[in-house]
Amino acid sequence: LRHFAENLDRHVQQEKIGALLLIAPPRALGFLRKALSDATRRAVVGELAHDYVKLSLPEIERRLVG
């Protein structure tokens, strides 16, 4: 997760990401909050503390849109 947070930070710095919605299991989300830079935290427009790892893409889309 630390590597993921570093990648997000880099993309925000390079202005490749302007807004970010974090969706992760609760523990991972807590870690990400602490690991992200201030600039990346400001880019976060929302958070969803759910574990969708084992779901298919159509099921994830249904849950997020539905």
Side-chain angles (χ1 to χ4, degrees):
L1 282 175
R2 183 167 290 124
H3 182 69
F4 179 67
E6 291 169 355
N7 281 331
L8 289 175
D9 288 340
R10 187 174 61 255
H11 282 73
V12 168
Q13 279 184 336
Q14 295 171 351
E15 298 182 1
K16 293 180 180 179
I17 296 175
L20 186 60
L21 174 62
L22 294 178
I23 303 172
R27 294 179 96 186
L29 194 57
F31 177 86
L32 284 172
R33 281 189 202 112
K34 294 175 186 174
L36 295 174
S37 69
D38 290 339
T40 303
R41 277 191 226 114
R42 286 190 298 273
V44 174
V45 296
E47 297 178 352
L48 188 56
H50 287 288
D51 187 351
Y52 292 140
V53 173
K54 295 180 183 178
L55 299 179
S56 66
L57 184 56
E59 180 61 19
I60 294 170
E61 289 173 340
R62 186 185 71 73
R63 290 182 185 210
L64 294 176
V65 176

